[in-house]
Amino acid sequence: MKEADTTRQFSIESEQTAGSDKFFNSFNAIGGKSGNWIYYAYFDQRNGDGWRDNAAFNYQAYYSNLTYQFNQKGSLSFQFSRMNYRQQIAGGLTDEQFNQDSRQSTRFRNYFRPIINIPALIFNYDLSKSTKLQISAHSLFGERSSVQFIAAPNVADTINLTLNSYNPRQVDRDYYNGFTTEARILQQYRIGNLTSILSGGIRYFTELTKRRQKGQGTAGTDFDLSLNGAYGIDLRLHTDNYAIFAENIFQLSSRFSITPGFRYEIIKTSLKGVINNASVPVNYTGDRNFPLFGTGLQYQVSNETQLYGNISQAYRPYIYANVTPADRLDVIDPNLKDSKGYDIDLGYRGHLSPFFRFDVNGFYLYYGNRVGLLTQTGSDGLAHLFTTNIGNAVAKGVEAYAELSLKNLLFKNTQMVDMKVFNSLSYTHARYTSGMLNQSGSNKSLAGNRVEGTPDWINRTGVSFLNKHISTTLQLSYVSKSYSDAGNTIQNAIGSVGIVPAYSVLDWAFTWSFLKNYHITANVNNIADAKYFTRRINMYPGPGILPAEGRTFNVGLGIKL
């Protein structure tokens, strides 16, 4: 979230952007400081037809922040943010459909609309020069609604001759109501001539979700949430979460620091209601209590470079979405377990000269009881995704970033012009170390299979040109192939699982600043009009392949006064 320009009583910012497929975005903001009051607010309106057929959207976002500064020590802020949009869902494609025409859509009656509101209060106070306190509280209320004809993409959404109309659509609605409050304190203290920092806090969170799904909707074609009968799923999902946490930066020397930390979590969950395929009403409660520990290290090799390392525990409880299928194509394991693990990384970063910046990091991540999706063949002969603990996985690899400024080589007589060459490289060897998959009645080991959704290589390289008024960047991105399921399925009939092929994308961005307060922007994404996709999915907004956008562009005019 942006903050106001406190050097002025009133400022205004406006960005108007138009682009391909009838895209238009209008961002407008005001802010400033008057006496003890600081204010900032924006409104963003975005709409377009979308790159694919049947992918139109209309989006609005609002944000406001009003702060009262009591004195130099304390302040109280009220913030409010809201997001809502309605999008037509183009649906997924089979491999054959994608190869024929990646812009086509097999659905035109599917819609999705979320509405989220978040009011917040934030209190900051300096108890002393070395002690700072922050207390924050926010609530969240809103909903998420959809109406869809849900079926495999090779099933046409056409007139049902028996009904003499389109088939009824499925209506799903979630209602959210949550509250969070957190208190943090930061204390600086000295050990000898060195300053160390202790920080800690407590947190309370409670949330209620009313989940209503699989309602039989109308046979219409517009965004209509009307029902013909009861919901097939009607649940009340409630969570209470208490946590205490602390970390301390021990400055052991002028060059070396160690930062241990811990967090203790208490999570209470309950789920009540009915699911249409359950023999008895759902009535589940669960309590989780566990500590998490971690430590960070940093050594200042020189004034411009640091060695750093971290090790930390991780915990991920399975969530409601894992155990309440959103559509008729998912199957859930009734014995699902929480996931646990840890990660370790070691790196070297900084500047070797004024013209060369870098960050090289090696990592190792263990993911136990990973929750994921396995492919199974149902009694209908179609492939279904089975949500379960698919096994243990390890990801290890290297991430590296380097940026070279050519100013001193190409533009020796001026400080106003620069050209930078950069490259960001990631290699991730993510494989299952254990686990079993049931395929056609026989067990298959997952050991050695690739972790789904994790390509081995990601590389982004580019060049930027900058002077006093112009900034322009050309970037080439490459992502190697990956798999969409733990079984490393090559392909299935409906496109929901299989290989995600490697792809390369070329993008260009341009900004020209003029008359001090104005600027013009231009962007062309996917210049070469590459045909690719990044996801196969078996839920919203699929199932099937979700094609990435082809060549698109936008131009904009901005002002800041």
Side-chain angles (χ1 to χ4, degrees), residues 13-90:
E13 180 181 2
S14 181
E15 299 276 350
Q16 311 301 316
T17 307
S20 51
D21 306 308
K22 297 182 181 179
F23 173 81
F24 181 74
N25 184 80
S26 178
F27 174 88
N28 303 280
I30 59 172
K33 180 179 181 181
S34 178
N36 292 341
W37 293 94
I38 302 171
Y39 65 96
Y40 179 80
Y42 76 72
F43 171 69
D44 187 26
Q45 164 73 40
R46 187 181 311 157
N47 55 71
D49 284 351
W51 181 76
R52 293 180 63 196
D53 297 336
N54 305 316
F57 61 91
N58 191 313
Y59 167 95
Q60 296 87 35
Y62 316 75
Y63 173 73
S64 62
N65 184 352
L66 183 62
T67 300
Y68 181 72
Q69 193 83 34
F70 303 113
N71 48 44
Q72 293 183 345
K73 291 185 175 182
S75 66
L76 179 66
S77 299
F78 172 75
Q79 299 177 352
F80 178 78
S81 57
R82 174 185 170 90
M83 179 276 296
N84 62 271
Y85 67 88
R86 191 179 78 178
Q87 180 170 3
Q88 194 175 11
I89 302 173

Side-chain angles (χ1 to χ4, degrees), residues 126-132 186-189 196-198:
D126 295 344
L127 300 175
S128 69
K129 291 183 178 180
S130 58
T131 307
K132 300 180 184 295
L186 184 146
Q187 176 69 54
Q188 296 183 357
Y189 63 95
S196 295
I197 301 174
L198 171 66

Side-chain angles (χ1 to χ4, degrees), residues 237 282 431 442:
L237 318 166
V282 176
R431 302 293 188 269
S442 61

Side-chain angles (χ1 to χ4, degrees), residues 452-521:
E452 63 271 29
T454 309
D456 284 354
W457 295 95
I458 299 176
N459 190 71
R460 308 189 194 283
T461 188
V463 59
S464 297
F465 175 83
L466 309 96
N467 69 12
K468 185 177 180 180
H469 300 289
I470 293 175
S471 170
T472 184
T473 299
L474 187 67
Q475 176 179 282
L476 176 65
S477 300
Y478 169 78
V479 179
S480 65
K481 75 173 183 179
S482 62
Y483 292 86
S484 63
D485 72 327
N488 290 181
T489 305
I490 301 299
Q491 184 179 323
N492 75 348
I494 63 173
S496 60
V497 291
I499 290 177
V500 177
Y503 60 90
S504 297
V505 179
L506 184 65
D507 301 314
W508 173 72
F510 173 85
T511 300
W512 173 40
S513 301
F514 62 99
L515 298 178
K516 187 179 179 180
N517 298 316
Y518 299 85
H519 62 265
I520 289 175
T521 61

Side-chain angles (χ1 to χ4, degrees), residues 326-392:
D327 55 48
R328 300 178 178 88
L329 302 175
D330 292 341
V331 180
I332 310 299
D333 185 351
N335 299 311
L336 203 62
K337 300 181 180 65
D338 297 330
S339 301
K340 297 182 180 180
Y342 62 88
D343 66 270
I344 305 170
D345 72 280
L346 181 66
Y348 184 43
R349 64 191 173 201
H351 293 78
L352 290 182
S353 75
F355 312 106
F356 184 70
R357 184 162 63 96
F358 71 96
D359 190 342
V360 181
N361 176 282
F363 63 89
Y364 180 96
L365 183 147
Y366 172 76
Y367 201 148
N369 282 334
R370 178 179 171 83
V371 177
L373 302 173
L374 301 180
T375 305
Q376 289 187 330
T377 301
S379 57
D380 55 5
L382 296 176
H384 296 262
L385 290 186
F386 182 52
T387 300
T388 185
N389 297 106
I390 50 184
N392 302 326

Side-chain angles (χ1 to χ4, degrees), residues 183-485:
R184 293 174 173 262
I185 192 165
L186 184 146
Q187 176 69 54
Q188 296 183 357
Y189 63 95
R190 298 183 69 81
I191 300 177
N193 296 323
L194 300 172
T195 299
S196 295
I197 301 174
L198 171 66
S199 64
I202 56 175
R203 180 178 186 268
Y204 170 68
F205 162 78
T206 183
E207 200 268 348
L208 173 66
T209 294
K210 297 178 181 179
R211 174 155 293 172
R212 294 170 177 171
Q213 297 180 333
K214 296 188 178 180
Q216 186 181 95
T218 69
T221 60
D222 59 349
F223 181 70
D224 184 356
L225 299 174
S226 303
L227 285 182
N228 295 316
Y231 287 98
I233 293 177
D234 195 344
L235 299 171
R236 291 174 60 89
L237 318 166
H238 182 249
T239 296
D240 284 320
N241 176 212
Y242 308 84
I244 183 170
F245 51 90
E247 69 176 18
N248 198 110
I249 302 176
F250 291 102
Q251 197 70 44
L252 302 182
S253 72
S254 60
R255 290 181 177 270
F256 180 60
S257 66
I258 180 171
T259 308
F262 86 96
R263 185 180 183 95
Y264 190 81
E265 294 275 3
I266 301 173
I267 304 174
K268 299 182 178 181
T269 58
S270 65
L271 187 155
K272 296 181 179 180
V274 295
I275 297 178
N276 59 355
N277 58 357
S279 57
V280 294
V282 176
N283 191 348
Y284 165 83
T285 59
D287 293 339
R288 300 174 172 93
N289 304 273
F290 54 91
L292 297 171
F293 296 93
T295 298
L297 306 170
Q298 179 170 296
Y299 180 74
Q300 195 76 24
V301 178
S302 67
N303 290 336
E304 300 292 340
T305 62
Q306 305 93 33
L307 280 169
Y308 62 93
N310 302 278
I311 180 170
S312 59
Q313 291 179 295
Y315 181 92
R316 188 182 189 277
Y318 63 80
I319 57 178
Y320 294 136
N322 294 136
V323 297
T324 53
D327 55 48
R328 300 178 178 88
L329 302 175
D330 292 341
V331 180
I332 310 299
D333 185 351
N335 299 311
L336 203 62
K337 300 181 180 65
D338 297 330
S339 301
K340 297 182 180 180
Y342 62 88
D343 66 270
I344 305 170
D345 72 280
L346 181 66
Y348 184 43
R349 64 191 173 201
H351 293 78
L352 290 182
S353 75
F355 312 106
F356 184 70
R357 184 162 63 96
F358 71 96
D359 190 342
V360 181
N361 176 282
F363 63 89
Y364 180 96
L365 183 147
Y366 172 76
Y367 201 148
N369 282 334
R370 178 179 171 83
V371 177
L373 302 173
L374 301 180
T375 305
Q376 289 187 330
T377 301
S379 57
D380 55 5
L382 296 176
H384 296 262
L385 290 186
F386 182 52
T387 300
T388 185
N389 297 106
I390 50 184
N392 302 326
V394 168
K396 51 190 174 183
V398 176
E399 294 177 336
Y401 176 81
E403 180 184 282
L404 176 64
S405 170
L406 302 179
K407 178 191 297 184
N408 210 36
L409 296 175
L410 301 178
F411 311 104
K412 295 183 178 180
N413 299 322
T414 178
Q415 297 297 314
M416 304 303 294
V417 179
D418 193 9
M419 181 176 288
K420 295 181 178 180
V421 179
F422 62 89
N423 194 84
S424 174
L425 173 67
S426 170
Y427 171 69
T428 304
H429 185 272
R431 302 293 188 269
Y432 284 97
T433 58
S434 64
M436 300 296 293
L437 167 65
N438 184 282
Q439 286 186 328
S440 302
S442 61
N443 292 325
K444 174 185 175 183
S445 173
L446 290 178
N449 280 22
R450 297 189 182 195
V451 174
E452 63 271 29
T454 309
D456 284 354
W457 295 95
I458 299 176
N459 190 71
R460 308 189 194 283
T461 188
V463 59
S464 297
F465 175 83
L466 309 96
N467 69 12
K468 185 177 180 180
H469 300 289
I470 293 175
S471 170
T472 184
T473 299
L474 187 67
Q475 176 179 282
L476 176 65
S477 300
Y478 169 78
V479 179
S480 65
K481 75 173 183 179
S482 62
Y483 292 86
S484 63
D485 72 327

